[in-house]
Amino acid sequence: MNFNYKTRGTCAREISFEMENGIVKNVSFNGGCNGNLKGIAALVEGKKAEEIVPLIKGIKCGFKSTSCPDQLALALQEALSEQN
């Protein structure tokens, strides 16, 4: 299933990904720090969303209350709840 998540409070504007049986695939960020976000996408590729969320949820970027990894965690949580 394909998901698009509009981010809030980050340089990246949107996160797109696929999730099949809880496995995350093809993560891409629209905007943000290109190299860092490609790295994050590569690290989560093929992993279970339930395992990823606790690792990245709550990460902050500087003085912001969120970050691109935190927004990905929120997107994955939303996708998991839609699939259940």
Side-chain angles (χ1 to χ4, degrees):
M1 185 179 272
N2 294 323
F3 295 92
N4 294 308
Y5 181 82
K6 301 284 184 194
T7 61
R8 295 170 201 91
T10 61
C11 298
R13 296 176 298 281
E14 184 177 51
I15 305 169
S16 300
F17 60 95
E18 296 174 27
M19 195 162 60
E20 191 173 310
N21 297 320
I23 305 295
V24 178
K25 300 177 182 182
N26 301 317
V27 177
S28 66
F29 291 81
N30 183 358
C33 303
N34 190 33
N36 290 336
L37 297 175
K38 283 182 180 176
I40 292 167
L43 289 169
V44 301
E45 179 74 22
K47 299 203 173 29
K48 291 182 179 185
E50 291 175 340
E51 294 174 359
I52 298 166
V53 171
L55 296 174
I56 61 176
K57 187 175 180 180
I59 291 175
K60 296 179 182 179
C61 184
F63 295 105
K64 296 178 183 179
S65 62
T66 190
S67 66
C68 292
D70 183 52
Q71 290 293 298
L72 176 57
L74 297 174
L76 294 174
Q77 283 182 312
E78 190 174 290
L80 284 167
S81 68
E82 284 182 28
Q83 284 193 336
N84 291 335

